[in-house]
């Protein structure tokens, strides 16, 4: 094996490692903040994805999700939360508030109307 090949393998491995960490390693995870009224609230930026895309919320406490849509891309026109039977239009460049009450612990996905953008609501006891 030549030094070139070894260098290529080492660099390739580093790149793969970096890409793996980049895409799977650090998923933004945000605990919904509890307001004075006792509601949990989190603002989710919508622009080519959801940020944060993992929201941690407490069971049996009302949860207010404020979707702040910062784009007009039709992909994110709608948001669907199957666990909560919610399907809501998100007007471009506006904030849309969705209130739900998590009734059971678990990880519940939400997505755009085409199921291309994904997020998760993690409900804990
Ligand atoms: Cu979409």
């Amino acid at each position: 094996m030549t030094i070139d090949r070894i260098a290529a393998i080492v660099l390739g491995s580093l790149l793969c490692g970096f890409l793996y960490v980049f895409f799977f390693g650090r998923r933004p995870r945000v605990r919904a903040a509890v307001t004075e009224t006792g509601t949990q609230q989190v603002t989710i930026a919508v622009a080519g994805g959801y940020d944060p895309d993992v929201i941690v919320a407490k069971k049996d406490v009302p949860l207010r999700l404020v979707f702040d849509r910062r784009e007009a891309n039709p992909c994110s026109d709608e948001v669907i939360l199957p666990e909560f039977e919610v399907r809501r239009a998100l007007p471009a460049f506006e904030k849309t508030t969705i209130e739900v009450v998590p009734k059971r612990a678990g990880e519940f996905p939400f997505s755009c109307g085409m199921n291309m953008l994904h997020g998760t609501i993690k409900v804990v006891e």
Side-chain angles (χ1 to χ4, degrees):
M1 239 197 255
T2 67
I3 194 85
D4 293 22
R5 277 190 75 91
I6 293 167
I9 290 165
V10 169
L11 279 176
S13 308
L14 284 175
L15 185 63
C16 285
F18 173 77
L19 287 176
Y20 184 83
V21 169
F22 186 80
F23 286 109
F24 303 107
R26 356 159 271 184
R27 293 177 68 80
R29 174 177 290 246
V30 160
R31 183 172 289 274
V34 178
T35 67
E36 319 83 79
T37 56
T39 296
Q40 313 179 81
Q41 180 165 332
V42 66
T43 298
I44 302 163
V46 182
Y50 301 110
D51 181 21
D53 65 354
V54 180
I55 291 119
V56 179
K58 276 203 207 98
K59 184 175 159 250
D60 293 324
V61 178
L63 171 63
R64 186 181 295 148
L65 303 165
V66 182
F67 285 91
D68 181 8
R69 187 161 173 232
R70 300 175 184 169
E71 65 178 3
N73 183 340
C75 183
S76 56
D77 266 351
E78 269 190 328
V79 67
I80 300 176
L81 298 90
E83 165 70 10
F84 307 101
E85 296 177 344
V86 170
R87 179 183 203 110
R88 191 74 57 84
L90 303 179
F93 307 105
E94 283 183 32
K95 288 182 179 171
T96 305
T97 300
I98 296 174
E99 284 205 34
V100 297
V101 182
K103 287 293 186 193
R104 56 184 184 134
E107 299 204 0
F108 306 110
F110 61 94
S111 68
C112 70
M114 309 152 193
N115 200 24
M116 287 159 63
L117 311 177
H118 299 277
T120 305
I121 298 170
K122 189 169 191 280
V123 179
V124 296
E125 298 282 348

